[in-house]
Amino acid sequence: MCLCVAFALPARAAEGTEVFADPSKIAAIGGSITEIVFALGEQDRLVARDSTSRYPEAALKLPDVGYMRQLSPEGVLSVNPSGILALHGSGPKETVDVLKKTSIPFIGVPERYDHEGILEKIRIVGKALGADAKADALAAEIDAKLNAAEKQTASIKDRKRVLFVLSMRGGKILASGSNTAADGIIRLSGGVNAVDGFSGYNQLSDEAVITASPDVILMMNNAGPAASDDELFANPSIRSTPAGAARKVVRMDGGYLLGFGPRTADVIRDLAASLYGGQAAD
């Protein structure tokens, strides 16, 4: 596959960049990255965002260079950034390889679906922008909020089994296993991922759904055509679970639910309340 750009690529950027020499015109790739830049008060440095960056509302005014997993070199380079700040998983690989061969510094930000991973992202973004002190302050604030949110469910003994359903195309359940954002947020909110034994997202057989025996179905809003409640609970395997019998489904905005950024403590509180009601208390 040949990725051709309509202009000559400058000399290769130095590898291992951690701090932008010129942080005045940054292209942010990844919703949580953009959100962190705003939370740091450094939003004036942004010249572009990707299509997953929908919060805060002011971010929508920035040029959109495309979906973070389907970027083109032309789209990102068209905004003439002085630096590219990209969440791990941005791609495709061919595009990232081209971007890394330009003279524009490219800083990748690791994605971990846990408490410390959020703080790490904040520190890396702050360092890249030369805003270390702001990042330390924000990380301390978010750390305290996360600790408080997680304590809400610390004493709950009977943990809810949660099945995250990414899609139901053709009536087939595509669910989240380990090492996913969905698995991480379920755990932080005091729940148990109803499926294990695989990493990432897999299609489940009817038997596997029934064996998972979820108490709650968790789904995203604003992520393409979503199955209605009637469609969800008409599925024979779902109907045979405790969640199906109780028609218990929780839906949240996908960027909010799975972002692992400054708002994740709020997500934990919201999801814990949906799972446990009054049992989840400060």
Side-chain angles (χ1 to χ4, degrees):
M1 177 180 178
C2 176
L3 287 174
C4 300
V5 291
F7 38 83
L9 294 174
R12 186 185 184 91
E15 293 288 343
T17 301
E18 294 183 348
V19 184
F20 291 123
D22 176 8
S24 64
K25 297 187 296 180
I26 302 303
I29 311 298
S32 61
I33 302 302
T34 301
E35 192 171 332
I36 289 169
V37 174
F38 272 85
L40 290 171
E42 298 291 323
Q43 61 269 21
D44 288 347
R45 300 183 183 277
L46 296 177
V47 293
R49 63 176 179 96
D50 78 306
S51 61
T52 70
S53 299
R54 305 194 311 270
Y55 184 89
E57 188 175 348
L60 297 175
K61 297 177 182 178
L62 293 165
D64 183 349
V65 297
Y67 176 50
M68 66 172 283
R69 300 189 193 279
Q70 297 175 350
L71 300 170
S72 71
E74 297 93 336
V76 178
L77 297 175
S78 69
V79 297
N80 193 29
S82 63
I84 300 166
L85 195 55
L87 187 63
H88 176 76
S90 298
K93 181 180 183 300
E94 295 89 346
T95 292
V96 173
D97 288 345
V98 170
L99 293 174
K100 287 182 176 179
K101 288 176 182 176
T102 74
S103 63
I104 299 168
F106 183 105
I107 296 179
V109 183
E111 177 78 295
R112 284 172 42 201
Y113 306 120
D114 58 22
H115 180 137
E116 184 55 41
I118 297 170
L119 307 184
E120 181 185 29
K121 278 201 282 190
I122 291 170
R123 295 187 186 105
I124 290 172
V125 171
K127 183 177 183 64
L129 299 177
D132 300 78
K134 287 184 178 180
D136 287 344
L138 179 61
E141 176 188 341
I142 299 302
D143 184 35
K145 288 181 177 179
L146 288 168
N147 284 329
E150 291 169 57
K151 284 180 181 177
Q152 289 184 114
T153 58
S155 63
I156 292 175
K157 304 298 183 186
D158 185 16
R159 301 279 169 165
K160 298 293 185 182
R161 296 177 61 81
V162 183
L163 179 65
F164 179 82
V165 175
L166 182 64
S167 72
M168 289 186 61
R169 291 174 186 165
K172 300 296 184 181
I173 306 296
L174 185 62
S176 171
S178 61
N179 298 316
T180 61
D183 179 73
I185 200 64
I186 289 168
R187 293 175 185 276
L188 286 174
S189 303
V192 174
N193 191 343
V195 294
D196 55 20
F198 65 87
S199 177
Y201 294 88
N202 274 8
Q203 186 172 295
L204 300 184
S205 66
D206 290 348
E207 181 182 2
V209 173
I210 294 169
T211 300
S213 190
D215 300 299
V216 179
I217 306 297
L218 180 60
M219 300 184 76
M220 292 188 297
N221 291 328
N222 305 325
S228 67
D229 284 8
D230 287 343
E231 182 182 355
L232 174 66
F233 295 118
N235 181 282
S237 59
I238 294 289
R239 193 167 61 238
S240 301
T241 67
R247 292 180 66 88
K248 180 64 174 178
V249 59
V250 175
R251 300 177 188 267
M252 290 188 186
D253 174 80
Y256 176 62
L257 177 66
L258 305 180
F260 280 80
R263 293 182 293 164
T264 296
D266 295 330
V267 179
I268 293 170
R269 290 179 183 279
D270 289 348
L271 184 52
S274 294
L275 295 178
Y276 300 110
Q279 288 182 276
D282 293 327

